[in-house]
Amino acid sequence: MKGTLLHLGVPERDLKILGHNLKKLFEIMTMECSHRDDLLLLPALSKFPDYVGDRYRKTQRSRLDIIALALDAQFVAASAVRRISGEDMASQMEAAAGARGNFFP
């Protein structure tokens, strides 16, 4: 998200102030460049652990929880890139297979 915000012209000093606050980064990213993924991003971001506080602690998450978190991380990264790349293969796949929400509730 920070890379997308830099590309959109948000000054690096502003991003440093936000640190790892994913919800604030989300808010700024959606203000700078809204996207059809916006409604799906916030629930995904709310599942992420506190990066600074939890990064050295032993996790209590199951393997399936970690896989779900990895899929959410991939979705967040892809959504950030879709906003600035002009490419959106996800919309093509959804047109053929159905909405993402049908597969990942």
Side-chain angles (χ1 to χ4, degrees):
M1 288 190 295
K2 283 185 177 183
T4 294
L5 290 170
L6 281 171
H7 183 81
L8 293 170
V10 175
E12 188 173 351
R13 68 179 178 280
D14 293 351
L15 297 177
K16 285 183 180 181
I17 292 169
L18 295 172
H20 299 289
N21 187 329
L22 298 178
K23 290 181 182 172
K24 289 287 185 185
L25 291 168
F26 162 79
E27 289 173 11
I28 294 170
M29 186 173 69
T30 57
M31 284 189 308
E32 292 290 325
C33 184
S34 63
H35 191 272
R36 64 187 177 82
D37 291 342
D38 289 349
L39 294 176
L40 298 172
L41 267 181
L42 197 54
L45 290 172
S46 68
K47 297 175 192 173
F48 282 72
D50 175 41
Y51 178 72
V52 175
D54 292 346
R55 65 181 157 184
Y56 297 119
R57 290 190 190 133
K58 185 176 179 178
T59 185
Q60 300 300 316
R61 295 176 186 266
S62 70
R63 287 182 183 171
L64 289 177
D65 288 341
I66 292 170
I67 291 169
L69 189 60
L71 289 172
D72 283 336
Q74 184 180 24
F75 172 66
V76 170
S79 179
V81 171
R82 278 193 284 273
R83 293 165 196 272
I84 59 174
S85 70
E87 299 294 329
D88 192 350
M89 288 181 60
S91 66
Q92 296 169 12
M93 289 187 285
E94 288 174 4
R100 179 182 299 114
N102 295 340
F103 300 105
F104 301 107

